[in-house]
Amino acid sequence: FINGTILVAGADFGTGSSREHAVWALQNYGFKVVISHRFADIFRGNSAKGGLRTIILPQEQVEALWDAIEANPAMPIEVNLEKRTVSYTTDNSLIAIPFVIDDYTRWRLMEGLDDIGLTLKQTDSIDAFEKTRPALKPTTQPAR
């Protein structure tokens, strides 16, 4: 489950935002999830690498979510990566909308792993490799 602020955005969100800074800016503002009908590909890739969840829903579902938020701005919205659903309650009815996310990106987001975190999970392998490198080549080991 994701606890944090969710941005429900218009189509083509992130167009023109090909740098990581766009993702960082949203995260620094407190957003954990952006829901839209469509995202710019580079923005979506940077988001996944940086830990910002981008959820694609059909346009009619995005508009229904906007209507529900306008009727109740404090309405809780749940994004469940495990179940791959966006859920909210309106008029005493639970609305659960499935979304598609590839298994690898879902795993990374659930584990909270960015590119650096993935690399750090391999420190034993990196250390073992470094021990086999000829001394004349550069090393990642600290100078002794």
Side-chain angles (χ1 to χ4, degrees), residues 23-135:
V23 172
W24 299 340
L26 289 166
Q27 290 173 316
N28 287 341
Y29 201 72
F31 290 106
K32 304 289 184 190
V33 178
V34 181
I35 298 172
S36 179
H37 168 63
R38 195 171 50 240
F39 291 94
D41 290 339
I42 294 173
F43 175 81
R44 191 153 197 240
N46 287 340
S47 294
K49 289 180 179 185
L52 179 68
R53 287 84 172 165
T54 53
I55 307 299
I56 296 175
L57 296 180
Q59 182 63 33
E60 59 273 7
Q61 294 292 346
V62 173
E63 291 176 15
L65 186 52
W66 280 332
D67 291 342
I69 293 168
E70 285 183 19
N72 179 9
M75 174 188 70
I77 300 169
E78 177 185 282
V79 175
N80 187 323
L81 285 173
E82 188 172 326
K83 293 181 180 179
R84 301 172 198 225
T85 58
V86 173
S87 304
Y88 61 97
T89 301
T90 182
D91 299 326
N92 294 322
S93 297
L94 176 66
I95 309 295
I97 309 161
F99 63 87
V100 175
I101 186 169
D102 67 272
D103 291 336
Y104 178 70
T105 301
R106 178 177 165 257
W107 171 79
R108 280 182 64 155
L109 292 170
M110 290 178 71
E111 295 294 320
L113 294 171
D114 60 10
D115 286 348
I116 294 170
L118 286 170
T119 302
L120 291 176
K121 288 180 72 71
Q122 303 300 321
T123 54
D124 290 342
S125 297
I126 294 167
D127 290 343
F129 173 80
E130 286 295 329
K131 288 177 184 173
T132 67
R133 290 174 53 99

